[in-house]
Amino acid sequence: MKIPLSWLQEYVDIALPSADLADRLTMAGTEVKGIQVIGDGWENIVIGQIVAINPHPNADRLRLATIDLGTEQHTVVCGAPNLNLGDRVAFAYVGAQLIDGHSGEVFRLKPAKIRGVVSKGMACSEKELGISDSHEGIMVLPAEAPIGTPLAEYLGDTILDADITPNRPDCLCILGIAREAAALTRQSLPLPEVKYEQAGPPIDQQVSVEIAAPDLCPRYCASLITGIKVTESPLWMQQRLLKCGMRPINNIVDITNYVMLEYGQPLHAFDYQKIKGGKIIVRRPASGETITTLDGEERRLSQDMLVIADKEGPVAIAGVMGGAASEVASETTSILLEAANFNPANIHYTGRVLGMPSEACMRFERGIHPELVMPAIERATQLIVQLAGGEAARGLVDVYPGKAEPEPITLTTDQVKRLLGVDFSLDQIVGALTSLGFDCQEGASEVRAIAPYWRSDIHVAVDLIEEVARIMGYDNIPTTMLSQPIPRQTPDPILSLKQGVRDSIAGYGFQEVLTYSLTSLEMLNKLLPESGSVEPLPLRVANPMTLEQEYLRPDLRANLLAALSANMRYEEDSIKLFELGKVYLPKEKDLPDEPEMMCGVASGSRWGRSWHGGDDAFDFYDAKGAVEGLLSQLNIEASFVEGKDQSLHPLRQAAIVAGSNQLGVVGELHPKVSLAFEIPEAVYLFEINLSALLPFTLGHRIFQPVSPFPTMVRDIALVVDVGVTHQQATDIIRGFPLVKQVAIFDVYSGGQVASGKKSLAYSITFQSSTHTLTDEEVNKVQQKILDELSRELGADLRA
Amino acid sequence: MLQKLKALKANAIQELESIDIAKELESWRIRYLGKKSELTQILRSLASLPIEEKRAVGACANEVRAELEDNLRQKEQALQKAQLALSAQKESVDITLPGRSFPRGHLHPITQTLYEICDIFGSMGFRVMEGPEVEWDYYNFEALNIPEEHPARDVMSTSWIDYETDSGQRPMLLRTHTTSVTARTIETMSPPIRVVEPGRVYRYEASDATHTPMFHQIDGLVVDKGITMGDLKGTLYEFARRFFGEERKVRFRCDYFPFVEPGAEMAIECLNCGGEGCRLCGNSGWIEILGAGMTHPEVLRRGGIDPEVYTSFAFGMGIDRLPMLRHNIDDIRLFYGSDLRFLKQF
């Protein structure tokens, strides 16, 4: 909402500097986003009068205008088509700062020789002055504009640009802001009396109004003005509309807009002659009904909307836009003026469905009050009579099925203190409310307040408390710390799990990324080299912004691999990324499951190229190592079994299981998937469902006593079939008494081992908790281990 | 004899000079100063010489001996020094070469910020609550005094889930704010309540330098007997003091959110211009940080809490903006671009 201070000042005395006023309004809820000063650069521009017009000796299109500035006269070359003797214009001296009418750039006026005639100065268009975009001719000022006066003094202004919150439609007008300013500076706000002459037959004999949908139209008022002439509106009105960001059209339309900006009530002017039968019917559209609106579009109406119709059909979409057929045009002589109130939700719905947000729409949908209709239509009728000539019919049509008596709200000083934490006196409370136009009845420690009609946002006591707080000033609310005991807290265990996992994985060198929760089917299908399409279909957004963000991710992999692929283009030679976040798994007729997942990927060389050497590529065991480290830190007993994840390499993957639950996977990405994501190197991936893992966290570890007796270490090398796993061997070794620890230190196949065989070398640590072991004792156990390995796995001791 | 001594000395010194290994010094010593050396023999033979000659040769021989011993000592020291210098060259490390790195991952700046915020509120007795990101219209809007066709819905353009009920309604959406968790908390917990609710939120919006269709918020809720707007101010000022620093000025002004009354907005003095007014703060000198207010009695009542017994405040704040301000990041999209060149800086 743009607020020219010159207009505001007609209602309230602004003694404060504009920045201070802006600050006061902002603190009290009307946020002033900007302050624009018109005429800031208008030095060397004064008001002049054209006293002579002569042809240019060398050009047909140009003329020489002599402009009287009171104390001096200047003759300048002028190309404008609208030069008229006696007109008052804005004259710019050489040196004035103007805006180029064609390029829009700021320039400083220099003396010029145009087709052989020297011109020092110029008459300016609105665009050149920065008032509007109009550059068809020079700006013509009103006849009373004082010659010789600087233009800044006459037309200059300061405009506040305020953000009006949706609860305050009453502030979407000059009068509303004036009320706020008056309350904040504790002034009264005298309203001018609106009077106009009424003549001719009573309006009832010429216009009738029927409200067929009183639930959507609480009030409809109409006035009739005949014998008017449609012309341009006066410059002062055009100026005010422009400053408020509206385009002048003609005097009638301008008046309806002007009164909307002044009072906050949207109005609509019909050409009375085009309203069939002089009858207005406010009703829901019939099935399939259409209307061509003012912008020339044909609109299909639904039965959930509301139209203004005459005897034959719709003439306007109520509160949203008028119809083209009853539009006020240059030949119009009679105006049927509408001021009405409509159901806010219905207007919002119509504006939204038809995609037609408008100034009127915005005011109706926020809930302006039906009482506003009467002062606004009187004001607009007065202006039409005054500025367009014509005669107002006697009386007004006023159909008001939604009239309701305002309810008083009781507020006690205790309630104010209870909520704000500050003890405002009853006098202060009543003072604040009264300054805003509330009708207050004081009791001993309470006030019964009736909100003024324009405050449609006041319903309950807390609404009054906010009014008191903002008028007294939020700065006067004390700053206190919570003094109540801290409530008993049982934090959700997933929170600390997530934090622990993030910290661990980042500690292993993985960089955390956050990717969008939304992705595309195409992206998800890249993960599935076998089936090719994701099942079940993930949750879809009905109104996706782009096709890349249409489906809610059922896993973290797709976006993470895309991130990996993108980073490879920057030639990072060692990339490790992880993301921790929710995935969304659809459920029948319910919100989806949103388990917390963690996925990590690694590709490239383990350490990156370094002068230390060791430029090895990542392999399966890097990914597995990260998972093992994490599981160990979280104290989770899980094992790795053969996996069947189709996104992973069929021979290089494992499922992470605890009991009968799969917690995740680890493995090398399937080469086809790498290819699909345009990743030229092998990718190692792990993915863990943290929500599934949570029940398996064992909690606090139980201390194991440390044996005071020495350990004995024996190394053995086994030759087994390549199909025998490390797991099988260690499971057997671990099963023997005195075995404290088993570590594999070599895996070998090739040269010295027969084909089809491999060698596994273990270091076995023996220890007893009761005595010092002897060689003999250990030899015996070791032999038993070897026998068992030989029996179970066909293992030979490697010489 | 004297001639002989002279020649011997010259020989010995010349030989000594050519030695560059400590080991050879010993054989030199034996050769020239040892028991069987020529010099020792000369000294031993002195007795047989006539007295005059004995005196002259004796003095000369002793002189030569002292001189050779002195030279040997110097040579020893010189060789030792050279040896030290040599080993220093071999054993020293170039301390400017990079160390063997322990590859370190970084937490995302948004995660870091969330941890920090939750820590600050945690120290004031707030616990963390989370809620679903795919949400019912009811918790995102209805329960918060934002019925259908309410203009407040317009500023939160919504992404709707492609799901229709049997009656043709579309009640599932991507939550537009974490205040939906507040609506759930009010319904499921009983007072006293003191929680913060962080998480992802979504808007139906095109991306640009200051907008992304997904970003992060944190909401807060306190419900207890005797909670006042003063407590709200105190809590938020304390947060601002700890997050932005002691000296940062704070503004608390009236604002509107349908689920609070009275409503407020907190802004901090612009970090870029210090309140002078610049492009970052839209020339106002202030940066809006959060919306807040006293929870609307209707919202409490709808969730089963009696507003006559309890009072409550609530607040909600965008997260992404905070690291942007702190680290001078000018494009919010960088957070979700997964570019290591960006992320590794934090």
Side-chain angles (χ1 to χ4, degrees), chain A residues 26-27 31 348 352 418-419 466 474 477 480 484 489 498 506 512 517 540 542-543 567 579 584 594, chain B residues 105 108 111 125 133-134 149 154 158 160 162 194 200 202 225 229 231 233 253 263 288 307 338 340:
Chain A
T26 299
M27 287 300 288
E31 187 180 6
H348 186 263
R352 182 169 62 80
R418 176 175 181 259
L419 211 62
E466 179 175 275
Y474 274 30
I477 296 170
T480 51
Q484 288 76 2
Q489 311 282 27
K498 286 199 290 182
E512 187 185 20
S517 311
R540 185 180 167 272
N543 53 336
N567 274 296
E579 178 165 18
Y584 312 85
E594 297 185 5
Chain B
H108 194 283
T111 305
E133 291 173 23
V134 180
E149 305 299 345
D154 298 347
T158 307
W160 297 92
D162 186 15
R194 208 182 280 192
R200 294 183 168 200
Y202 304 84
K225 288 176 181 160
M229 198 149 178
D231 297 337
K233 237 176 125 174
R253 58 172 282 267
E288 294 162 17
S338 304
L340 286 171

Side-chain angles (χ1 to χ4, degrees), chain B residues 238-262:
Chain B
E238 176 63 8
F239 165 75
R241 188 184 72 79
R242 292 195 29 200
F243 194 89
F244 296 106
E246 194 89 48
E247 66 293 342
R248 188 68 45 199
K249 271 198 219 139
V250 180
R251 182 179 79 179
F252 193 74
R253 58 172 282 267
C254 179
D255 202 351
Y256 168 74
F257 305 96
F259 36 90
V260 288
E261 190 77 23

Side-chain angles (χ1 to χ4, degrees), chain A residues 741-790:
Chain A
Q741 213 178 318
V742 185
I744 184 156
F745 65 87
D746 190 37
V747 179
Y748 177 78
S749 58
Q752 288 143 46
V753 179
S755 119
K757 300 273 184 184
K758 67 181 173 186
S759 153
L760 301 172
Y762 290 95
S763 173
I764 308 172
T765 307
F766 298 88
Q767 191 182 31
S768 157
S769 58
T770 58
H771 62 282
T772 301
L773 295 175
T774 62
D775 266 341
E776 219 167 292
E777 234 178 325
V778 173
N779 288 346
K780 241 191 232 170
V781 181
Q782 187 178 340
Q783 194 50 53
K784 280 187 189 166
I785 291 173
L786 291 172
D787 292 347
E788 175 103 2
L789 287 169
S790 165

Side-chain angles (χ1 to χ4, degrees), chain B residues 299-315:
Chain B
V299 172
L300 291 175
R301 208 172 281 128
R302 206 175 278 129
I305 292 175
D306 185 353
E308 300 300 322
V309 179
Y310 296 100
T311 50
S312 163
F313 69 68
F315 58 88

Side-chain angles (χ1 to χ4, degrees), chain A residues 386-446:
Chain A
Q386 197 181 312
L387 302 176
E391 214 172 60
R394 267 188 289 139
L396 295 163
V397 178
D398 182 11
V399 185
Y400 195 174
K403 189 169 175 63
E405 283 305 316
E407 294 278 337
I409 304 165
T410 302
L411 181 67
T412 66
T413 50
D414 282 351
Q415 279 174 303
V416 174
K417 188 178 181 198
R418 176 175 181 259
L419 211 62
L420 298 182
V422 54
D423 217 350
F424 289 134
S425 71
L426 190 62
D427 272 358
Q428 287 173 309
I429 293 167
V430 170
L433 292 175
T434 309
S435 73
L436 287 163
F438 285 77
D439 181 4
C440 294
Q441 273 194 318
E442 263 177 86
S445 63
E446 83 283 344

Side-chain angles (χ1 to χ4, degrees), chain A residues 16 19-30 184-186 470:
Chain A
L16 296 168
D20 292 357
L21 174 69
D23 188 53
R24 295 279 270 279
L25 287 169
T26 299
M27 287 300 288
T30 303
L184 291 170
T185 55
R186 298 301 163 97
R470 67 190 192 89

